[in-house]
Amino acid sequence: MTATANTTRATTPTLGALIRNGVAATVGASIATMAVAATGARAGVSLDLGGTPIPVTGFGVLTVVFSLIGVAIAALLARFARHPRRTFVRTTVVLTVLSLVPDVIADAGVATKALLMLTHLIAAAIVIPAVARRLAV
């Protein structure tokens, strides 16, 4: 009788894969938020906030900044949290909800506020699952 050894091993996501996924999702989210903002502007939604226009590229830049902060949070949780994926998802959902507060109280029209909130939700819908997928359960 012969015995065969099971050579498969459980793989843990690497930090490099987490960062690559996070950066790719960040780029996608940035493009998506700029596209939504540009589409909204073409449809007649004002991009003025307190009388100052928000450039479409501003949506992309802020998406990159805050998404990369999310990737950094994920990297820290991957290292220090007992359940990194669950902790990351919970944390980022709370942060996403909190990110809507300034939009609600902003000096802008209802359509502008709705557009701002939509871009936050779109970015979160792209980045959170892509990063969470690379975290250990």
Side-chain angles (χ1 to χ4, degrees):
M1 182 151 133
T2 61
T4 57
N6 185 356
T7 58
T8 61
R9 59 187 167 104
T11 58
T12 0
T14 65
L15 182 60
L18 173 71
I19 292 171
R20 279 190 302 277
N21 242 37
V23 169
T26 295
V27 170
S30 179
I31 292 167
T33 58
M34 287 190 298
V36 167
T39 302
R42 278 194 300 275
V45 176
S46 170
L47 296 182
D48 286 359
L49 194 59
T52 305
I54 304 169
V56 170
T57 56
F59 287 86
V61 169
L62 288 177
T63 299
V64 166
V65 169
F66 288 104
S67 295
L68 290 179
I69 289 171
V71 173
I73 290 169
L76 289 170
L77 291 174
R79 172 68 177 98
F80 297 109
R82 183 173 294 201
H83 302 285
R85 183 180 300 173
R86 182 174 60 197
T87 306
F88 175 76
V89 170
R90 287 179 179 176
T91 301
T92 53
V93 167
V94 168
L95 290 174
T96 301
V97 170
L98 289 175
S99 79
L100 302 176
V101 173
D103 298 338
V104 171
I105 63 175
D107 180 16
V110 174
T112 303
K113 291 178 181 185
L115 180 69
L116 291 170
M117 289 188 276
L118 178 63
T119 59
H120 289 218
L121 296 175
I122 288 170
I126 293 170
V127 175
I128 293 171
V131 173
R133 205 174 12 251
R134 291 296 181 172
L135 291 169
V137 180

